Amino acid sequence: MASWIDQFKGLARLPEELRGRLVSDSRVVRVPKGTVIFGPGKAPENLLLLLDGVVRVQQVSETGREIILYRVHALESCVLTTACLLAYEDYQAEGVAETDVQAVAIPKAVFEEMMAGSSDFRRFVFQAYSRRITDLFTVIEEVAFKRVDLRLAKKLSEMTGAAATVKKTHGELASELGTAREVVSRQLQEFQRRGWIALHRGSIEVTDRDGLEAFSRL
């Protein structure tokens, strides 16, 4: 288990005594795909450092509408968990294992002790925190100020990668963009009319990537 700590540059610089404490008092956990790891009204018990997999952090409204705030990938931590641990507050959003996940769980008591006693650990936590806060403000700016059609075109271009097909439903794309499914459906139909995509059941085929990307840059 001692090898996990060396995967995180900030923790690898800790004195041997503190490294040993982290290893001995933390545990590696495995969470299957689809598991709700945390949710609104629950207090965080651990700081999770992802070793493998992806956790999707999303906000769900009273009407059931979802917006994906960010994703936590391998060698990252969750900014919402960090904020709740520091402020002694409950979660206001939920985290879902988008894939099978392997992570290190650092108990709250150990987290607090390390934050109080180690400047290197504090630096590690706050550097990760600041990066995520910047990403979150980018999401807020896009949802609040940028046109949905441009954001949708950009999202489709990003999702296709080397492939030509995006295996997402209209509802899933709406959650990615923080808008309504009906809005996404209308925009996709317009993209199909322009010849950029072809709509299929449960997937979207990008037929003119250059046109889609050019539009997304307007």
Side-chain angles (χ1 to χ4, degrees), residues 127-147:
Q127 283 178 345
Y129 185 83
S130 63
R131 286 194 297 269
R132 273 294 170 202
I133 286 293
T134 300
D135 293 342
L136 195 53
F137 274 118
T138 299
V139 171
I140 294 170
E141 179 184 3
E142 289 185 349
V143 171
F145 302 115
K146 293 189 177 180
R147 286 166 44 183

Side-chain angles (χ1 to χ4, degrees), residues 6 50 68 83:
D6 294 319
L50 261 65
I68 296 174

Side-chain angles (χ1 to χ4, degrees), residues 10-217:
L11 299 181
R13 294 194 296 265
L14 291 175
E16 193 63 35
E17 179 182 354
L18 295 182
R19 284 163 52 91
R21 175 75 195 282
L22 268 182
V23 170
S24 63
D25 289 1
S26 302
R27 69 187 192 282
V28 174
V29 297
R30 291 172 176 81
V31 181
K33 178 181 177 180
T35 302
V36 178
I37 299 173
F38 57 79
K42 296 182 179 179
E45 298 178 353
N46 304 280
L47 175 67
L48 291 181
L49 306 180
L50 261 65
L51 299 173
D52 189 39
V54 180
V55 174
R56 182 179 70 250
V57 180
Q58 60 193 25
Q59 183 79 48
V60 182
S61 72
E62 293 181 357
T63 60
R65 180 172 157 184
E66 297 178 355
I67 177 173
I68 296 174
L69 302 176
Y70 58 89
R71 287 178 170 86
V72 187
H73 297 85
L75 305 186
E76 295 179 345
S77 58
C78 174
V79 65
L80 181 60
T81 300
T82 302
C84 291
L85 285 169
L86 292 172
Y88 299 95
E89 292 184 351
D90 294 342
Y91 287 110
Q92 298 298 316
E94 67 177 12
V96 180
E98 198 164 65
T99 65
D100 291 341
V101 167
Q102 184 181 34
V104 176
I106 301 175
K108 180 179 180 180
V110 177
F111 171 83
E112 292 177 344
E113 181 180 329
M114 297 288 286
M115 286 293 290
S118 172
S119 60
D120 286 331
F121 186 80
R122 287 196 300 274
R123 188 177 301 111
F124 167 78
V125 169
F126 284 124
Q127 283 178 345
Y129 185 83
S130 63
R131 286 194 297 269
R132 273 294 170 202
I133 286 293
T134 300
D135 293 342
L136 195 53
F137 274 118
T138 299
V139 171
I140 294 170
E141 179 184 3
E142 289 185 349
V143 171
F145 302 115
K146 293 189 177 180
R147 286 166 44 183
V148 172
D149 54 352
L150 301 182
R151 293 167 53 221
L152 177 58
K154 180 181 178 182
K155 180 62 69 174
L156 290 174
S157 297
E158 292 173 349
M159 285 181 166
T160 51
T165 301
V166 176
K167 293 184 177 180
K168 292 282 186 181
T169 66
H170 296 193
E172 289 170 335
L173 285 170
S175 295
E176 294 280 353
L177 299 173
T179 189
R181 183 186 62 79
E182 294 78 8
V183 173
V184 168
S185 295
R186 285 198 301 270
Q187 295 298 336
L188 289 174
Q189 289 167 4
E190 175 62 18
F191 289 176
Q192 180 171 246
R193 187 190 67 79
R194 297 188 185 194
W196 298 337
I197 65 171
L199 297 175
H200 306 288
R201 186 177 181 85
S203 67
I204 301 160
E205 180 186 359
V206 176
T207 55
D208 183 1
R209 183 175 182 133
D210 290 341
L212 198 64
E213 290 183 342
F215 178 73
S216 72
R217 291 193 291 268

